[in-house]
Amino acid sequence: MQRLAAVVITLMAVSTVPASAQSIEGAWRLAEYSSADGPTYSDTESLMIFANGYYSRLFVRAVERRAPLSAESTDADRIAAWSPFVANSGTYSVDGSTLTLNTIIAKQPSNNRTPTTLEFRIEGNTLWIMGNAEGLQNTTQRWVRAPGGG
C-alpha cells in the first residue's frame, strides 16, 4: 500500500509539470547570442515563436540598442538600424535534439527557402540553440521563455 501511495504521489508531481515546459513551442526572448565570428550580444530586442509547425524569429545582433529613426534620419542612420536586424520565418521540425528551420521568408533574400539545421536543448525555461546560423559560424544562442509565452 505504501508503495502504491508513493507511485501515485510521484505521478501527481510529474503531471503538475506543464508539457510546454519541455516543448519548444511558445514564445522566446533572446538572452545571449555568441559566435566564433564576433562579439556576444545580451538581452537584445528579440522574439521567437514556435507554433503548430511554424516559426518566426526577429532579433537584433547589436551590443547597444538601436537609435530611433526620425524624418531627419540619414541613409547611414537607416542602414545602421537595419543591418543588425535578423528576421526569418517558415516551418520547423524537431528530430531528437536536432532543430531544422525551413525558411520561407527572410530579411536576407539569399536565405529564402534555405533549411538550417541546428542542435538544441531545453533546460527548464531556457532554450539553447547551437550551430551555424545567419551566416555566422559556431553560434550559441540562449533563449528564455517569454512571460505568458507557453
Side-chain angles (χ1 to χ4, degrees), residues 87-103:
N88 54 70
S89 297
T91 62
Y92 78 94
S93 61
V94 170
D95 183 12
S97 63
T98 301
L99 170 66
T100 302
L101 304 176
N102 296 296
T103 303

Side-chain angles (χ1 to χ4, degrees), residues 60-104:
V60 177
R61 283 192 313 224
V63 175
E64 296 180 17
R65 294 254 184 225
R66 298 176 299 157
L69 297 175
S70 68
E72 294 78 33
S73 296
T74 66
D75 286 346
D77 294 333
R78 288 181 183 86
I79 290 170
W82 183 249
S83 291
F85 183 68
V86 175
N88 54 70
S89 297
T91 62
Y92 78 94
S93 61
V94 170
D95 183 12
S97 63
T98 301
L99 170 66
T100 302
L101 304 176
N102 296 296
T103 303
I104 294 172

Side-chain angles (χ1 to χ4, degrees), residues 2-21:
Q2 288 178 338
R3 182 177 169 152
L4 178 59
V7 169
V8 170
I9 290 170
T10 301
L11 288 174
M12 288 174 54
V14 170
S15 68
T16 61
V17 176
S20 62

Side-chain angles (χ1 to χ4, degrees), residues 99-120:
L99 170 66
T100 302
L101 304 176
N102 296 296
T103 303
I104 294 172
I105 183 79
K107 175 192 153 197
Q108 182 70 351
S110 62
N111 292 340
N112 290 347
R113 304 286 177 193
T114 303
T116 301
T117 302
L118 303 158
E119 293 301 309
F120 82 100

